Amino acid sequence: MWLINQEHQLPIFWQEGDAYSLFYAPGYLVVAAQTLAAGLWQDLQQPEPHTPTARRLHQWAETAVRARQAALTTPFAPVCLTLYLHTQCNLGCPYCYADPSPRPTPRLEVTAVYAAARLVAENCCQQQRPFTLVCHGGGEPTLNQLHLAQVLAGVQAVAAAAGLSLFRYIATNGVMPTAKAYWLAQQFDLVGLSCDGPAAIQSRQRPLVNGQGSTPYVERTARILHEHQTPLHVRVTITPFSVRQQVEIAEYICRRLQPEEIHVEPVYHAGRAQTAVLPDTNQFVDHFLQAQQVAATYGARWLTSGSRLQEIHGPYCHLFRDVLHLVPGGAATACFKTGASPQAGQQGLQIGQMGDGRFSLNRPRITALRQQLHPLPPSCRDCFNQYHCARDCPDSCPLEDGETAVPSFRCQVQKKLAQAQLTQMGVALWAKARVQDGIAEGRVMTEIMRL
Ligand code: SF4
Ligand code: SF4
């Protein structure tokens, strides 16, 4: 159990163990021998602590508080353009949150893309940051190659005209003809390939729309990407069916697909999986940690996005992440779950649109949504993980459901994974502390990032 420093309302936490205590401020961990722990805790209650260790914990905590507040007050100035090109897909995954169509659907208008790209490029120039382009789901973004090529060419032209370097990412299911896979490998700087594991799992969870397996296509696309030396990440969705097979999934993906990173997400309670049963919490965490070790033996990182101790972050809302996300119909949406413009409008999530040849942002709407989405639920206010947690997003949302029900599945998973990471780091620090003065410290986060 973690105690929070209530005295100065700073996020500093204390957890007692048998031989030593852990002290944590977002991004910074201290281990202290039990004989020193009470004194350190007392020092942490002072407005100006005496010991350098307590002062550092204060500084990290204050920086985290400022970073979180800045996410609310810094004007929204996106430097990443995310595109849902359409909502058509060639797979029939039973858990898909986007619930796409197997038939052609309206495409995102290229004029809106180019106008939005110009807006993003202005921000990138002002902030001296590269331009990031993300072509993502809602459907399979590679299905209409000509449309994708037009989008890429237009955004590349905008970035080049502004003298910006462009980073191009695409998330794909990998089911495509050989020639298209070669083309893709040349067009993108990083490819995120969705694969849920060996054929027995993949065929059940990610079949083609005609019910056949997709494994041979995914493996072939991965091979082509490697041939071209295009960096590859893999996205895995874990369901109750696959939750206890994470070690086998890690083995398979590392051997056959050989990605640098594997992003593991428990199935979203949304779209086609709106009423689906979620995996068991303990099973998810136990098997996740085992699979993480297996992946590490192959040099691959096994990660999940809900709890990232390396970053200060909250839910996935674009409003806090410098992301301008366009959907078919040309609207910009605040939420990644939105598939098309009418939906964004109906749900009050539309934050920008084309007008008079320019893409403009709806600032009052952005401010109002930020104020609704930013506050920490009361149930999270004493939690050591509150600066690193996506909370219950996307299973439930403050805009739809009011206060998050805690402890939900995601809350429990995120807390256990964060605890496991801190415990592991604490063990390593304790080995150092014993040969020093009974105290050792370490950074969990290398830099403070915006939410
Ligand atoms: S579901 Fe809600 S909390 Fe999650 S990204 Fe969308 S708007 Fe944000
Ligand atoms: S959702 Fe759970 S783990 Fe996340 S901050 Fe809230 S209480 Fe902590």
Side-chain angles (χ1 to χ4, degrees):
M1 185 184 140
W2 291 89
L3 284 178
I4 185 167
N5 179 336
Q6 301 286 12
E7 200 62 34
H8 309 296
Q9 298 186 323
L10 283 178
I12 301 177
F13 302 88
W14 175 21
Q15 186 177 59
E16 274 191 280
D18 291 335
Y20 56 87
S21 281
L22 298 180
F23 293 86
Y24 185 65
Y28 202 71
L29 184 66
V30 170
V31 297
Q34 230 42 310
T35 48
L36 303 172
L40 180 55
W41 188 243
Q42 218 172 12
D43 197 17
L44 285 164
Q45 314 301 311
Q46 308 302 318
E48 302 288 336
H50 302 300
T51 58
T53 298
R55 282 203 293 275
R56 275 192 286 277
L57 281 164
H58 265 231
Q59 280 161 6
W60 278 83
E62 284 159 2
T63 307
V65 170
R66 279 198 300 274
R68 185 160 196 281
Q69 191 56 23
L72 183 63
T73 54
T74 307
F76 179 63
V79 293
C80 172
L81 181 62
T82 291
L83 307 174
Y84 282 7
L85 297 177
H86 51 75
T87 53
Q88 182 188 359
C89 191
N90 49 349
L91 296 197
C93 312
Y95 58 63
C96 184
Y97 73 89
D99 197 11
S101 164
R103 287 175 292 281
T105 60
R107 294 179 193 170
L108 176 57
E109 300 74 359
V110 287
T111 46
V113 174
Y114 300 164
R118 288 192 288 274
L119 185 152
V120 169
E122 278 172 30
N123 293 330
C124 294
C125 289
Q126 276 165 16
Q127 297 177 40
Q128 298 184 318
R129 290 169 72 179
F131 189 126
T132 301
L133 173 68
V134 172
C135 298
H136 213 290
E140 166 52 34
T142 64
L143 278 186
N144 299 295
Q145 190 174 339
L146 189 60
H147 183 224
L148 178 57
Q150 279 178 331
V151 162
L152 275 170
V155 174
Q156 267 159 353
V158 169
L164 293 163
S165 64
L166 177 66
F167 182 81
R168 301 154 302 175
Y169 171 83
I170 189 163
T172 172
N173 62 32
V175 176
M176 63 189 77
T178 309
K180 194 188 279 186
Y182 276 108
W183 177 80
L184 200 73
Q186 288 164 10
Q187 300 297 321
F188 286 90
D189 302 297
L190 175 63
V191 175
L193 193 58
S194 290
C195 174
D196 286 357
I201 300 173
Q202 177 79 358
S203 306
R204 181 179 172 133
Q205 298 193 174
R206 302 188 59 79
L208 305 182
V209 279
N210 64 14
Q212 289 178 354
S214 54
T215 296
Y217 302 97
V218 174
E219 291 189 357
R220 183 180 67 194
T221 297
R223 266 199 314 276
I224 291 170
L225 293 170
H226 285 303
E227 239 178 76
H228 201 270
Q229 298 186 325
T230 304
L232 169 66
H233 291 174
V234 167
R235 149 82 184 232
V236 181
T237 298
I238 299 293
T239 65
F241 174 72
S242 62
V243 67
R244 286 182 294 172
Q245 302 178 70
Q246 292 182 70
V247 164
E248 291 89 324
I249 295 169
E251 278 281 354
Y252 166 79
I253 290 175
C254 291
R255 276 191 291 104
R256 301 291 296 188
L257 307 183
Q258 300 174 3
E260 293 164 16
E261 292 184 0
I262 304 162
H263 296 260
V264 181
E265 302 299 334
V267 61
Y268 292 162
H269 229 201
R272 291 178 191 161
Q274 189 72 53
T275 55
V277 177
L278 292 169
D280 175 81
T281 311
N282 288 328
Q283 283 182 359
F284 179 85
V285 172
D286 292 348
H287 292 274
F288 179 96
L289 294 172
Q290 288 169 32
Q292 193 167 50
Q293 288 179 3
V294 169
T297 64
Y298 289 90
R301 280 153 46 89
W302 180 265
L303 306 161
T304 189
S305 64
S307 186
R308 285 164 275 144
L309 286 180
Q310 295 76 4
E311 293 174 31
I312 291 189
H313 71 92
Y316 305 114
C317 331
H318 299 312
L319 300 169
F320 305 118
R321 300 170 60 237
D322 296 329
V323 171
L324 186 64
H325 176 178
L326 263 54
V327 291
T333 174
C335 177
F336 78 99
K337 287 200 296 185
T338 312
S341 295
Q343 196 188 344
Q346 284 153 18
Q347 295 173 342
L349 292 163
Q350 182 164 337
I351 57 164
Q353 62 287 312
M354 275 280 283
D356 299 331
R358 286 180 65 82
F359 202 90
S360 55
L361 297 174
N362 183 340
R363 297 274 172 200
R365 187 85 214 118
I366 290 168
T367 304
L369 283 170
R370 276 180 163 190
Q371 280 166 354
Q372 282 176 277
L373 291 162
H374 188 264
L376 206 57
S379 48
C380 299
R381 285 186 195 148
D382 287 346
C383 178
F384 73 98
N385 198 28
Q386 60 184 264
Y387 280 74
H388 313 292
C389 182
R391 311 204 276 267
D392 219 13
C393 173
D395 290 353
S396 70
C397 171
L399 301 178
E400 296 162 7
D401 314 294
E403 197 178 306
T404 311
V406 171
S408 63
F409 166 79
R410 276 178 210 280
C411 167
Q412 292 178 65
V413 163
Q414 282 144 206
K415 203 178 277 190
K416 283 171 197 270
L417 289 176
Q419 177 69 57
Q421 196 177 335
L422 290 181
T423 302
Q424 209 176 21
M425 193 172 166
V427 169
L429 284 175
W430 177 237
K432 260 170 59 184
R434 279 190 296 177
V435 294
Q436 293 171 352
D437 297 332
I439 287 192
E441 309 171 23
R443 285 168 170 233
V444 182
M445 195 157 55
T446 46
E447 58 175 326
I448 294 282
M449 298 173 74
R450 285 192 50 199
L451 280 171

